[in-house]
């Protein structure tokens, strides 16, 4: 069955590609491998500007995460880094770093939004490639599953004009270590996320940043990714 994938880059261009999966196998932890497919190649259009956010549609709605190879090609300024995240506020992390004119690739596992999309941020103006070689079966909303989560407080961050929501997520089962994604729906509607590894009967804290100085009424959903 052919699958259409739409790729949109805010303020730049949009296009679609179609592919027919030719090989897939289910492995441990819900990983489904497939023949690698390129879902993003900005070289077919103008180079994304510095500071661009790209929305990449993997064609896997309902998956919890995808296995991706991301390549940064020939950044025009030094200090290039790329960030990948599912949705909401961009985290202060990088999945690869490079310098002017370099071509650098890195393989990652990145959580995706419920519609199968994830976001890329490029610090410098550079072309980007994304190849998908597998995905993880979708997690389940919790509870059930013995996991619970709660917001325990808020911290205002005036300099960043953000509200930091603090909370805990608990594993009430004897299951082995699991990766749990915590999604907090902020008052403004954006979704902020954090990830924690939980062992048997373990409780850990999390924190996420919501845009603006108010986040009261945030709703939490904990999802088992792996």
């Amino acid at each position: 069955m052919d699958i259409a994938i739409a790729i949109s880059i805010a303020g730049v261009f949009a296009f679609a590609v179609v592919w027919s999966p030719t090989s897939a196998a289910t492995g441990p932890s819900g990983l489904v491998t497939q023949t690698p497919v390129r879902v993003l190649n900005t070289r077919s259009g103008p180079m994304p500007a510095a500071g661009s956010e790209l929305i990449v549609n993997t064609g896997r709605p309902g998956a919890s995460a995808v296995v991706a190879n991301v390549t940064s090609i020939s950044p025009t300024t030094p200090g290039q880094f790329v960030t990948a995240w599912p949705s909401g506020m961009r985290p202060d992390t990088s999945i690869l770093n490079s310098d002017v004119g370099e071509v650098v690739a890195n393989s990652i596992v990145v959580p995706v939004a419920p519609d199968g999309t994830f976001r890329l941020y490029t610090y410098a103006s550079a072309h980007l490639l994304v190849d998908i070689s597998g995905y993880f079966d979708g997690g389940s909303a919790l509870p059930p599953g013995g996991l619970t989560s709660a917001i325990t407080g808020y911290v205002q961050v005036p300099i960043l004009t953000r509200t930091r929501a603090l909370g805990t997520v608990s594993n009430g089962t004897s299951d082995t270590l699991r990766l749990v994604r915590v999604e907090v729906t902020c008052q403004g509607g954006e979704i902020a996320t954090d990830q924690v590894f939980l062992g048997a009967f373990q409780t850990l804290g999390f924190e996420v940043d919501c845009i603006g100085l108010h986040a009261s009424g945030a709703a939490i959903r904990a999802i088992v990714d792996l």
Side-chain angles (χ1 to χ4, degrees):
M1 178 179 66
D2 288 348
I3 300 176
I5 303 176
I7 311 295
S8 63
I9 302 176
V12 183
F13 62 92
F15 63 94
V17 297
V18 175
W19 108 84
S20 299
T22 57
S23 176
T26 302
S29 303
L31 172 63
V32 181
T33 59
Q34 64 178 53
T35 300
V37 58
R38 179 153 295 170
V39 298
L40 177 65
N41 182 354
T42 66
R43 294 176 299 182
S44 61
M47 179 179 285
S52 293
E53 288 190 6
L54 295 72
I55 300 175
V56 182
N57 191 331
T58 67
R60 294 296 181 187
S64 62
V66 295
V67 180
N69 192 72
V70 180
T71 306
S72 170
I73 301 174
S74 302
T76 58
T77 55
Q80 162 70 336
F81 68 90
V82 176
T83 300
W85 75 105
S87 62
M89 184 173 296
R90 174 170 58 90
D92 295 325
T93 59
S94 68
I95 59 168
L96 62 82
N97 301 81
S98 63
D99 210 338
V100 176
E102 291 183 338
V103 178
V104 175
N106 191 28
S107 293
I108 63 170
V109 175
V110 58
V112 295
D115 62 357
T117 63
F118 70 91
R119 294 174 181 268
L120 287 179
Y121 168 85
T122 177
Y123 172 78
S125 181
H127 279 302
L128 297 173
L129 307 177
V130 177
D131 300 322
I132 303 296
S133 58
Y135 63 95
F136 290 89
D137 292 335
S140 58
L142 302 173
L147 280 90
T148 57
S149 54
I151 290 178
T152 58
Y154 298 96
V155 177
Q156 303 298 332
V157 190
I159 295 177
L160 300 176
T161 318
R162 296 178 183 178
T163 298
R164 184 158 297 155
L166 310 176
T168 59
V169 59
S170 301
N171 178 10
T173 74
S174 59
D175 290 351
T176 56
L177 191 69
R178 295 185 291 185
L179 174 63
V180 174
R181 184 172 78 247
V182 180
E183 294 185 347
V184 176
T185 302
C186 303
Q187 190 178 48
E190 79 274 13
I191 297 176
T193 64
D194 195 7
Q195 294 185 146
V196 295
F197 287 94
L198 282 177
F201 303 109
Q202 188 175 25
T203 297
L204 292 176
F206 68 85
E207 58 181 47
V208 299
D209 284 357
C210 294
I211 298 173
L213 293 177
H214 302 282
S216 59
I220 296 180
R221 184 172 68 135
I223 300 175
V224 176
D225 277 339
L226 305 177

